[in-house]
Amino acid sequence: MATSTVSYLWRDQNAFKGFCTGVSLHSHTNQSKETLDFLANLGNKYSLIRPILARLERRAQEKFGLRVNYAAAYWTPPMTPRLAFDLESRQIEDLDLNSMVSITDHDNIEAPMLLRTIPSARRIPVSVEWSVPYGGVQDFHIGVHNLPSNSAKQWMRTLAEFTANPKQARLKEILVALNDEPNVLVVFNHPMWDLFLVGEEKHQFLVNEFLQKYGAFLHALELNGLRNWEENRSVRRLAQQWNMLLISGGDRHGVEPNANINLTNATSFTEFVHEIRRQRLSNVLFMPQYAEPWKHRLLQSTLDAIRDYPDFPQGSRTWDERAYHPDANGVMRPLNEIWPNGRAPFSIHWTIKAVQMLGQGPVSGSLRLAWNEDSQLRVALGEPEG
């Protein structure tokens, strides 16, 4: 029997009492390549967006000889692995809890491998968010935590080979093998997020089909700290339907720490994995930032992505250092190396400035009030108000 508890720090300031450790799961660093392919999907879905994108594509072709390639282009979050690790650890330690942090960049393990050279982070698990193409139209994201150190690179080759050439029979073989690793934790991240906009009905069908085929090899469903209340309520219903455990996953991409964590009395990450897999026990704590209006939090995350950070290491300071696109020769380069004279075109520069203004002073406050979700907070994830 799966036993999941969900608590909210803004309701109960003592919700973490009785636990000795907080676990931060699912966050991203500048080692994570975040695709821009979703822009093309939005353009196909929404008629108002398509002309804007078409104009940008046309100007790129005419002025710079570049054909916009959404599938190849990507951006990276601003925080380095060390900054991200310290951010997540500090939030937990401020509660007088020991901290464990599992960073899951998209399809690579560079961040935990780099962090293992730092004494304070040497015990960080080797983890990844694996992109799993499914049904020919959708991608599912699977959090794979605590890969064995001696075979982690081989595991990454195996996962990458499947992502590049997905075959259903091979997927089962991989998930069975991961499940056979006793210290590995496999989580279905944000399962109800229709990432490629295939439609709610189609997406729900694919999720349930996926769980029917492979649910026995997955250890938990994620309550995502960056998704909205209604979607997380749907995940809770899904977990009840399939008798699966719920687990936290902040999905931080910016500079705000994860909006939820797990509470445990485990003294190592492996011990925490055993608590989830063997005891089927999970205690999720939502942090105060999750009580902020969801649209406001999405705006802040977007602003984090395009904000300048002059104190960060070179390569992470400006948004166009962190966004990449093939140049005229097909070589992937940061945008600030592709712009003429190293500066963004006037129209793009002022578009970015206009978006940045949304996060300043009165404008930001007014948007926050307009997006207030107090009625949503009263029901939280389907529980009566405490």
Side-chain angles (χ1 to χ4, degrees):
M1 179 69 180
T3 303
S4 308
T5 68
V6 183
S7 55
Y8 314 91
L9 193 56
W10 63 88
R11 287 183 174 183
D12 181 2
Q13 294 296 312
N14 295 312
F16 57 89
K17 299 297 184 182
F19 298 95
C20 68
T21 303
V23 187
S24 167
L25 298 163
H26 187 183
S27 64
H28 298 268
T29 76
N30 67 353
Q31 301 299 305
S32 194
K33 296 180 180 180
E34 308 286 337
T35 180
L36 294 177
D37 208 19
F38 72 94
L39 291 174
N41 291 331
L42 288 174
N44 291 333
K45 186 175 180 66
Y46 299 109
S47 58
L48 291 176
I49 296 177
R50 184 62 245 170
I52 299 173
L53 294 178
R55 182 172 181 272
L56 290 173
E57 292 161 9
R58 186 169 59 253
R59 287 175 63 85
Q61 183 73 47
E62 293 172 353
K63 297 194 69 173
F64 312 123
L66 286 177
R67 182 177 180 181
V68 175
N69 186 337
Y70 295 107
Y74 63 89
W75 63 279
T76 61
M79 301 202 86
T80 63
R82 178 63 185 269
L83 289 171
F85 178 84
D86 289 346
L87 177 74
E88 297 298 332
S89 298
R90 186 165 55 247
Q91 174 178 236
I92 294 168
E93 290 163 6
D94 283 347
L95 299 176
D96 289 326
L97 296 171
N98 298 318
S99 64
M100 297 181 195
V101 178
S102 185
I103 288 172
T104 51
D105 285 326
H106 288 290
D107 301 306
N108 82 74
I109 54 173
E110 294 303 316
M113 299 307 287
L114 289 169
L115 283 165
R116 285 188 161 201
T117 66
I118 300 170
S120 63
R122 66 182 183 276
R123 294 183 180 177
I124 190 171
V126 179
S127 305
V128 65
E129 185 172 34
W130 175 32
S131 301
V132 177
Y134 188 76
V137 294
Q138 189 63 284
D139 264 17
F140 292 143
H141 287 177
I142 304 298
V144 183
H145 302 264
N146 206 32
L147 286 166
S149 300
N150 60 358
S151 59
K153 291 185 177 180
Q154 177 56 51
W155 268 114
M156 291 308 301
R157 287 191 288 270
T158 297
L159 301 183
E161 286 167 3
F162 174 84
T163 300
N165 185 28
K167 294 181 180 179
Q168 185 170 300
R170 182 59 177 148
L171 177 57
K172 184 175 181 179
E173 291 175 356
I174 293 172
L175 290 172
V176 168
L178 285 170
N179 187 60
D180 286 343
E181 295 278 2
N183 300 327
V184 168
L185 178 65
V186 182
V187 178
F188 194 169
N189 289 348
H190 45 69
M192 300 307 286
W193 183 12
D194 179 7
L195 189 62
F196 287 168
L197 304 175
V198 302
E200 181 179 354
E201 184 176 348
K202 177 68 171 178
H203 179 72
Q204 289 185 6
F205 172 82
L206 292 172
V207 167
N208 281 285
E209 182 183 66
F210 186 81
L211 290 174
Q212 183 180 39
K213 293 178 178 178
Y214 311 115
F217 316 113
L218 306 175
H219 306 134
L221 302 180
E222 180 193 67
L223 293 174
N224 187 279
L226 205 57
R227 304 303 300 164
N228 60 51
W229 290 99
E230 184 53 45
E231 187 174 305
N232 277 328
R233 280 194 286 271
S234 296
V235 174
R236 192 163 195 173
R237 291 191 292 268
L238 188 70
Q240 292 171 344
Q241 176 185 343
W242 291 95
N243 189 30
M244 294 189 70
L245 207 62
L246 293 166
I247 201 168
S248 67
D251 205 6
R252 178 198 46 74
H253 287 72
V255 299
E256 175 191 82
N258 274 354
N260 58 19
I261 62 174
N262 258 70
L263 299 170
T264 180
N265 284 311
T267 57
S268 69
F269 196 85
T270 295
E271 189 178 338
F272 170 68
V273 171
H274 293 173
E275 181 176 271
I276 298 296
R277 292 189 55 170
R278 297 177 184 175
Q279 299 179 41
R280 301 196 72 199
L281 175 64
S282 176
N283 301 286
V284 178
L285 175 65
F286 277 87
M287 305 301 286
Q289 54 266 38
Y290 194 77
E292 293 292 315
W294 180 60
K295 292 179 181 178
H296 184 74
R297 293 185 64 234
L298 282 187
L299 172 62
Q300 293 305 312
S301 185
T302 301
L303 293 171
D304 285 352
I306 62 174
R307 190 175 285 123
D308 290 344
Y309 300 93
D311 296 331
F312 280 18
Q314 189 170 359
S316 293
R317 293 173 183 169
T318 65
W319 73 269
D320 56 358
E321 287 181 271
R322 303 188 298 266
Y324 293 76
H325 191 280
D327 65 13
N329 296 316
V331 178
M332 192 65 68
R333 295 168 60 191
L335 289 180
N336 70 330
E337 294 182 4
I338 296 177
W339 306 134
N341 304 316
R343 299 184 63 181
F346 182 82
S347 59
I348 294 178
H349 172 78
W350 284 108
T351 298
I352 293 293
K353 288 296 183 184
V355 175
Q356 289 174 338
M357 286 181 62
L358 296 177
Q360 297 177 3
V363 176
S364 178
S366 297
L367 288 172
R368 186 187 181 284
L369 287 174
W371 290 332
N372 190 279
E373 295 169 333
D374 183 63
S375 60
Q376 291 273 32
L377 293 179
R378 291 196 188 102
V379 294
L381 297 182
E383 298 175 343
E385 186 175 12

